Amino acid sequence: MASNATPSLHKLSPDAKEFIPASVRSTHVKAEPVLSPVSNYAVAIFRGYVEDLMQEPGMYDATVADLKQNLPFYVHTEMIASKLAEELVQHSIEESNFRYTGARLSEVLSTCLSTVNFKKQFLHRCGIEFSRKKELIATKEGQKHLIGFSLFVGELLLNMQLKDGGMIEIFQGAIFQLLALFMSAPNDDTVRCVTQLLKLTGGVLETRDEQSPELDSLFDGIKSFIVSSNSSTFMVFSSTTHFQV
């Protein structure tokens, strides 16, 4: 990434200029490459590890230790890394109980698969998903998918780091924009997502950006959102979190 700065948001508007990683921007679509038997085997092995983590989350350390030792042997190209990134993102969106584990796993894979640029492939895949947000918010089924992605981004903000241990600011910028988008289309599901996302990441956003105009706009947006949505769900949130509005 060229910069860690949070993308500019114009008064927390869902119509603000999108942040899309440079690797996502393209003028044409490339043909999907055909996976080799080794590539398919790598994907199958990875799915096995994901299944193990889903069934026995208490065995996370042992499972990840085995993954770090064995998976890199089969992942020797960026194409395979991109397929694993696709698997990880989709599973984390669809399986609510896997999002925290998926975020932790993305950090593990970024380290043990650094030679094939897994982190680059992973951020590229997240950027593609983020670029679909306005399309997804327009339908009920799309909103469900976008909510899953947004909560996964929240987990990534807390669990995926830069080489120096710092937070990946691009996720923070994405959360601001996703919150704005959900608040522009209030219903029971989007209200619930806003409350969950703020409970998950509010402390981090507040601590890091106390003087940020984006945070000020977020506060203003939340106040208007509470009034317009008149939601008991949001009232419960307001009474159980320190993230005051």
Side-chain angles (χ1 to χ4, degrees):
M1 290 178 289
S3 170
N4 288 336
T6 302
S8 174
L9 305 176
H10 306 292
K11 296 184 179 180
L12 202 65
S13 168
D15 296 318
K17 184 178 179 180
E18 296 180 358
F19 104 85
I20 302 177
S23 59
V24 178
R25 303 177 191 130
S26 176
T27 57
H28 63 280
V29 178
K30 296 181 180 180
E32 185 73 11
V34 177
L35 288 182
S36 68
V38 173
S39 300
N40 285 324
Y41 191 57
V43 171
I45 289 174
F46 180 66
R47 286 174 179 169
Y49 282 119
V50 168
E51 186 66 25
D52 289 344
L53 289 169
M54 283 287 293
Q55 293 182 357
E56 298 186 84
M59 296 295 292
Y60 177 87
D61 290 340
T63 302
V64 166
D66 191 73
L67 177 151
K68 289 193 292 185
Q69 181 177 356
N70 293 298
L71 187 62
F73 179 76
Y74 300 98
V75 185
H76 48 78
T77 68
E78 290 193 12
M79 184 188 74
I80 303 175
S82 72
K83 289 299 179 182
L84 300 191
E86 169 74 20
E87 290 283 329
L88 181 56
V89 170
Q90 286 300 321
H91 205 74
S92 299
I93 290 173
E94 294 169 2
E95 300 289 343
S96 60
N97 292 334
F98 185 75
R99 287 173 194 144
Y100 168 68
T101 299
R104 294 178 67 190
L105 192 56
S106 68
E107 179 67 10
V108 170
L109 294 174
S110 295
T111 300
C112 73
L113 300 179
S114 60
T115 58
V116 290
N117 293 316
F118 176 84
K119 180 174 284 188
K120 172 186 173 182
Q121 301 300 327
F122 179 79
L123 293 176
H124 173 85
R125 183 63 187 81
C126 289
I128 291 174
E129 204 66 45
F130 181 83
S131 70
R132 300 175 57 217
K133 62 186 185 299
K134 291 182 181 179
E135 168 195 342
L136 292 169
I137 197 70
T139 67
K140 191 73 172 177
E141 192 63 27
Q143 286 179 12
K144 180 180 177 181
H145 186 88
L146 186 60
I147 286 169
F149 173 69
S150 301
L151 294 172
F152 180 47
V153 171
E155 294 289 2
L156 290 170
L157 178 69
L158 302 178
N159 290 284
M160 198 172 183
Q161 299 181 332
L162 298 170
K163 288 183 179 179
D164 62 4
M167 184 178 67
I168 298 181
E169 305 285 352
I170 200 168
F171 294 134
Q172 179 176 309
I175 287 172
F176 278 124
Q177 292 193 41
L178 289 165
L179 285 168
L181 185 61
F182 286 128
M183 288 190 289
S184 73
N187 59 47
D188 287 347
D189 293 333
T190 57
V191 168
R192 188 177 299 108
C193 181
V194 169
T195 65
Q196 290 175 328
L197 194 52
L198 283 174
K199 289 176 74 173
L200 179 64
T201 66
V204 174
L205 298 177
E206 186 176 32
T207 299
R208 292 187 62 85
D209 274 334
E210 289 182 351
Q211 306 301 320
S212 168
E214 285 83 5
L215 189 63
D216 290 340
S217 295
L218 175 61
F219 284 140
D220 292 341
I222 291 173
K223 290 175 183 177
S224 299
F225 185 59
I226 293 173
V227 173
S228 63
S229 64
N230 191 27
S231 170
S232 59
T233 302
F234 214 110
M235 295 304 104
V236 170
F237 158 76
S238 298
S239 66
T240 58
T241 182
H242 71 282
F243 193 70
Q244 298 298 317
V245 297

